[in-house]
Amino acid sequence: MSLLSPARSPHRALDPLSYRTVFIADGRAGRPQNGDDDCPFCPGGREAPAPYGAPYAFANRWPALGEDRCEVVVHGGHESGFATMEPAQVRQVVDLWALRSRMMAGREGVRAVLVFENRGAAAGATVAHPHSQVFGLPLVPDLLRSRTQPADCPLCRAAGEDRQVSRSPGWRTEVPSAPPSPYTVQLVPERHVGTLAALDPDERDGLAGALRDAVARLDQLFGEPMPYHLWVREDTASAAGGGDHLHVVISALLRSPGRLRILGAAEMATGLLFTPLSPRNAAAALRDAS
């Protein structure tokens, strides 16, 4: 199939019928698909010419949003997932997320910041080496729009026992009442705080522990590394701690061994989601996967 030369890219388009916003960056279609033998994030690779002992961040060479709006955060070694990293290493990732998120929020034209990870090829990762990304968005998407205040915050109230999974100091892990995929967990700080940057040192340690525990449970479910989408829901416009309650969502992409959870036509057409598993049964399975 032949392709025309890339259009002005990246740029934003609005569907006049659904009002869905799409960022078009056809230059990204040519970005490399890297395997284990030519990994750009391993020491000596294109993005890591020198050895490194801690997570690091750099500008994405194939940005989806334009210059200085997309960053990559490399977590550690090639085999390092949150479940197998040392607590101090996961804490370093949390600290780097907080720093890069705060820096991105301060850039001109950035209205919202999204920290996220696509784990595994099934989740859309083009490089196997564990990494996450930080996007500086020029608009506030509907799903990231602030809707609550501390006085009526639903996340300030713990989920019922049937949806609770585990606890880490200052944090709780639970299955949301309306999960986007059958096995979804949300990591919630006990204190109403708006951003990663506003977390105190103990809370950052607690988030590191919650990440390790949650990913380990997901990996244990079907005896294999779970592909997932992870995103941090923070209110970067309210760094002092007001607005929405910070939380981390990990949406697992296997619904059963070897079976991917894929959005169907009805879901893509309507934006409605359908799940075959109740939150309480998902939580029970995750509690057993210790």
Side-chain angles (χ1 to χ4, degrees), residues 24-249:
I24 299 173
D26 55 4
R28 283 171 56 81
R31 68 192 189 276
Q33 308 287 313
N34 298 99
D36 293 341
D37 296 332
D38 58 348
C39 177
F41 299 162
C42 282
R46 181 177 183 181
E47 307 294 355
Y52 55 87
Y56 68 98
F58 59 91
N60 195 323
R61 293 179 186 269
W62 291 271
L65 297 169
E67 294 292 331
D68 300 324
R69 295 295 183 269
C70 300
E71 295 184 349
V72 177
V73 176
V74 175
H75 296 175
H78 195 87
E79 302 300 328
S80 61
F82 285 133
T84 57
M85 294 167 67
E86 294 296 324
Q89 294 175 306
V90 183
R91 166 64 191 272
Q92 289 176 323
V93 174
V94 170
D95 286 340
L96 193 51
W97 281 351
L99 174 63
R100 299 318 306 165
S101 176
R102 180 172 60 84
M103 296 297 290
M104 187 69 76
R107 291 177 179 166
E108 184 177 358
V110 171
R111 300 281 308 282
V113 177
L114 180 66
V115 177
F116 67 96
E117 178 192 6
N118 298 322
R119 187 207 199 188
T126 56
V127 177
H129 196 120
H131 66 285
S132 50
Q133 300 184 62
V134 182
F135 276 13
L137 302 172
L139 76 170
V140 182
D142 286 342
L143 291 180
L144 298 186
R145 203 171 294 279
S146 180
R147 290 182 171 86
T148 63
Q149 292 295 324
D152 61 354
C153 174
L155 290 182
C156 284
R157 301 182 295 274
E161 290 186 5
D162 59 347
R163 290 195 289 112
Q164 294 180 15
V165 176
S166 63
R167 287 184 178 270
S168 296
W171 289 75
R172 63 181 189 270
T173 300
E174 57 196 31
V175 175
S177 58
S181 68
Y183 293 103
T184 296
V185 293
Q186 60 187 18
L187 284 49
V188 184
E190 298 290 355
R191 180 171 70 101
H192 187 107
V193 58
T195 66
L196 291 166
L199 295 173
D200 65 32
D202 289 340
E203 288 169 330
R204 295 187 184 200
D205 284 341
L207 175 54
L211 281 168
R212 294 180 76 241
D213 176 77
V215 175
R217 290 176 186 275
L218 291 171
D219 288 350
Q220 182 67 21
L221 268 179
F222 306 128
E224 60 179 295
M226 175 68 78
Y228 62 68
H229 292 150
L230 176 155
W231 62 92
V232 180
R233 176 67 170 87
E234 57 179 333
D235 189 349
T236 50
S238 305
D244 283 349
H245 197 134
L246 169 74
H247 59 285
V248 180
V249 179

